[in-house]
Amino acid sequence: MHFFIHSGIYSSEYFRSSILHLFAGITVKGVIDDLDCVIKILKTTGFGEDRFYIHCDGALSSLMMPFVKRAPKILFEKPIGSVCISGHKFLGCPMPCGVHITGLDHIKALSRNIEYIGFQDATLMGSRIGHAPIFLWYALNQKGHQGLQREVQMCLKNSQYLKERPHASGISVMLNEFSNIVVLESHGMKNSSAIGSCLQFKFDEFLRDLAENRAIWLREGKHQPLCASPNLGKENCACPLRK
């Protein structure tokens, strides 16, 4: 579906309707899809709002984006169907939990009477954990609007700090715009890290250890400098070929 939206090749005549899953800060590389651009393309290619459904996967960053200038805004004033948010990521709830937010019309369409609870419910098997919303409510109330704003700014500041330092040691690193996910080169796989409100000396210790051990690996011939451009982009690769 991403290919269809971005290619602009096909006409909407070939599709009765479309379901799109957009990312608002995916935890692998921090990708944030341009919601407004997608909506514009849908409308200009002939899709009315009754012919598409957009789900925004904002598990990590959807709680951060409202506090980031110029970041895409996820609002139900726009023609989106639903948003999901995790509580154990940015908010730091002590257990995996999340919420799926959608319109009342969709909830009514999915709801059914669950006999053993005597109530209309839209969750799978009519069962849901009660602790999750309590943890989410507590975290939001403890931090408050200003607390969340301060934490977001600290995360972004730390992410930028961690991005800038490795290049001096010839280490490839990537940081997407509006994201707190720093992606470092890794031998054999990508290595990403969600940056929170740690003190900067912790990052200095990590980077010093990484640079020292990487130098040993290269000197002993166990690994060779990797070209990270296929995964991180040419502009983020620090291998000898890109210098």
Side-chain angles (χ1 to χ4, degrees):
M1 186 53 67
H2 276 281
F3 174 75
F4 159 66
I5 288 299
H6 290 294
S7 67
I9 296 175
Y10 302 108
S11 167
S12 65
E13 296 176 359
Y14 295 99
F15 300 89
R16 292 185 177 181
S17 59
S18 293
I19 299 175
L20 297 95
H21 185 124
L22 303 184
F23 292 109
I26 187 171
T27 52
V28 178
K29 290 185 178 180
V31 173
I32 299 175
D33 287 325
D34 191 331
L35 173 62
D36 293 332
C37 179
V38 170
I39 293 172
K40 181 179 179 181
I41 293 174
L42 283 168
K43 291 184 176 181
T44 55
T45 52
F47 281 87
E49 292 184 9
D50 61 337
R51 292 183 57 198
F52 64 82
Y53 183 96
I54 297 177
H55 171 69
C56 296
D57 185 347
L60 172 63
S61 297
S62 54
L63 282 171
M64 299 179 62
M65 289 166 59
F67 302 99
V68 182
K69 293 181 179 179
R70 299 184 298 105
K73 297 297 186 287
I74 300 175
L75 303 169
F76 278 98
E77 297 171 357
K78 301 175 182 180
I80 63 174
S82 54
V83 179
C84 66
I85 301 170
S86 293
H88 57 286
K89 294 179 180 177
F90 175 67
L91 282 179
C93 292
M95 59 185 291
C97 59
V99 293
H100 185 98
I101 306 171
T102 188
L104 188 59
D105 53 339
H106 295 306
I107 294 176
K108 289 180 178 179
L110 293 172
S111 295
R112 62 201 185 284
N113 187 60
I114 307 300
E115 184 177 354
Y116 72 89
I117 62 174
F119 193 75
Q120 290 283 325
D121 192 89
T123 60
L124 293 175
M125 304 300 291
S127 180
R128 55 190 170 190
I129 184 169
H131 282 105
I134 295 175
F135 280 126
L136 288 167
W137 174 87
Y138 180 79
L140 289 171
N141 278 272
Q142 283 291 103
K143 294 176 184 291
H145 186 277
Q146 291 184 347
L148 288 170
Q149 187 174 37
R150 286 194 300 269
E151 196 162 328
V152 168
Q153 296 306 315
M154 184 176 293
C155 288
L156 296 178
K157 180 180 178 181
N158 286 340
S159 301
Q160 192 65 38
Y161 180 81
L162 184 56
K163 179 204 172 187
E164 292 172 353
R165 297 295 301 278
H167 274 294
S169 300
I171 300 173
S172 301
V173 60
M174 181 187 75
L175 174 64
N176 273 312
E177 191 176 15
F178 313 127
S179 175
N180 70 322
I181 301 290
V182 178
V183 186
L184 299 168
E185 70 172 45
S186 179
H187 296 276
M189 65 181 69
K190 299 182 292 296
N191 186 16
S192 60
S193 176
I195 306 305
S197 54
C198 297
L199 297 176
Q200 289 186 350
F201 79 87
K202 291 290 186 182
F203 298 134
D204 292 336
E205 291 179 355
F206 165 73
L207 292 171
R208 183 171 59 251
D209 290 344
L210 176 61
E212 290 176 355
N213 284 281
R214 185 176 181 273
I216 294 173
W217 299 334
L218 296 177
R219 185 168 61 249
E220 294 178 350
K222 295 180 179 179
H223 302 282
Q224 296 299 318
L226 295 175
C227 179
S229 58
N231 291 319
L232 305 186
K234 294 179 180 179
E235 69 278 9
N236 299 307
C237 183
C239 77
L241 295 175
R242 302 296 172 187
K243 287 185 178 180

